[in-house]
Amino acid sequence: MARHVMKPRTAFWVMAWLAGLAVAVHVLLPQLGELGQTLDRFREGSWPWSVAATLASAATYVAGGLGIIVAAGVRLPLLGATMAQLAAGAASVLTPEGLGAVAVGGRWLEKKGIDPPRATATLTASMVVALVTHIGLMIVLAALLRSLVLPKIEPGTVLVVAEVVVAALVVAGIVLWLVPGVRRKVLAEALPMLRSIPAVFSQPGRAAGMIGAAVLVNLLYVAALLASLAAFGGRAPIAGVAFAYLTAVLVGTISPTPGGLGAFEAALAAGLTRLGVEAGTAIAASLSFRLVTFWLPLPIGAWAWETLRRRGDL
């Protein structure tokens, strides 16, 4: 598998663009709602809960590494697989036109003695199971939400703005997908995944292990969100919080921004507000969750990338 190196000029503009978008998300979003409430929540935040959210976020990479090992079906080092997951996460955001997450994972598997076709099949199987698991969890949780008695709330300013932002970014993502070149690229990547579904589930034991790892990853992210919410005194039904997280991931995936920036935060804040969480608390929890699950892992992933590269594992 060929290695691609992002040009310095491109890297500079990618980092500058991400930094600008980060400022917009973390500064402008609170201003759209109750800025005073949000700042108060940050000042009153419980650090032990924030630490718990950080630990849960870190554990998602271990669970993801375990899923790759199960998908590969061979003995692989869990520490190396975890570092590869961190590096892949950073690569997927920082190198949109270069060494992406799939390339990082494939390269690591090849360096561990797995031939390129099998490495590709392993990553494809992992993505298929992650997708199926995500959809399955949303269906189950949607059924559970019907039995919950959720508080009746009046749509506040922050909720209206958040929903408009989410809708605009989703529409932009759909329009971008409709561009012929982009559509062909998406279909070229999606069709092999769809064709591999029968092969993935033809081995029940392996499929069960991969599904278990994928479920664990989602549960750990939900735990991180619950801890982020608790850090600011927020309370909401676990099933509702889990559904809000899964929905935000879906919205972030559809949106045209890298990592779903802006769309994910807005969707998550809107989802928590729908559950009856106060606007300031919902925004503070969403931004805190994004900090420990997206921004904090980026420099760690870059370090893992460089460490694996120096070791000859990438």
Side-chain angles (χ1 to χ4, degrees), residues 165-190:
V165 171
V166 169
L169 287 171
V170 168
V171 169
I174 293 174
V175 170
L176 183 63
W177 184 84
L178 291 176
V179 175
V182 175
R183 185 176 66 250
R184 284 193 295 269
K185 183 177 179 181
V186 171
L187 291 176
E189 295 177 355

Side-chain angles (χ1 to χ4, degrees), residues 111-138:
K111 288 291 186 177
K112 292 303 173 182
I114 298 178
D115 59 88
R118 186 173 179 181
T120 301
T122 296
L123 294 174
T124 301
S126 180
M127 289 188 290
V128 167
V129 169
L131 176 62
V132 171
T133 301
H134 191 102
I135 295 174
L137 287 174
M138 289 195 72

Side-chain angles (χ1 to χ4, degrees), residues 69-295:
I69 293 174
V70 173
V74 297
R75 187 182 296 275
L76 294 170
L78 180 58
L79 178 59
T82 301
M83 292 180 66
Q85 289 289 296
L86 282 163
S92 65
V93 176
L94 300 178
T95 58
E97 62 177 35
L99 190 61
V102 174
V104 170
R107 183 73 175 176
W108 182 78
L109 289 171
E110 289 178 32
K111 288 291 186 177
K112 292 303 173 182
I114 298 178
D115 59 88
R118 186 173 179 181
T120 301
T122 296
L123 294 174
T124 301
S126 180
M127 289 188 290
V128 167
V129 169
L131 176 62
V132 171
T133 301
H134 191 102
I135 295 174
L137 287 174
M138 289 195 72
I139 293 173
V140 172
L141 289 170
L144 291 177
L145 286 178
R146 294 182 179 180
S147 63
L148 296 179
V149 180
L150 299 178
K152 185 178 180 180
I153 60 172
E154 295 296 328
T157 303
V158 66
L159 184 57
V160 173
V161 174
E163 290 177 342
V164 170
V165 171
V166 169
L169 287 171
V170 168
V171 169
I174 293 174
V175 170
L176 183 63
W177 184 84
L178 291 176
V179 175
V182 175
R183 185 176 66 250
R184 284 193 295 269
K185 183 177 179 181
V186 171
L187 291 176
E189 295 177 355
L191 288 177
M193 290 178 61
L194 296 175
R195 294 192 187 106
S196 68
I197 290 178
V200 170
F201 292 97
S202 65
Q203 303 177 40
R206 177 179 172 226
M210 294 168 64
I211 291 174
V215 170
L216 180 58
V217 169
N218 283 288
L219 290 178
L220 287 169
Y221 274 125
V222 172
L225 179 54
L226 287 168
S228 298
L229 190 59
F232 303 102
R235 296 288 185 275
I238 295 177
V241 172
F243 190 80
Y245 161 72
L246 293 171
T247 302
V249 171
L250 185 61
V251 169
T253 302
I254 297 173
S255 74
T257 58
L261 285 173
F264 180 94
E265 290 85 350
L268 189 57
L272 293 177
T273 306
R274 285 292 189 192
L275 294 172
V277 179
E278 190 180 12
T281 301
I283 294 173
S286 299
L287 297 183
S288 178
F289 173 77
R290 196 63 158 159
L291 174 65
V292 300
T293 60
F294 183 83
W295 294 111

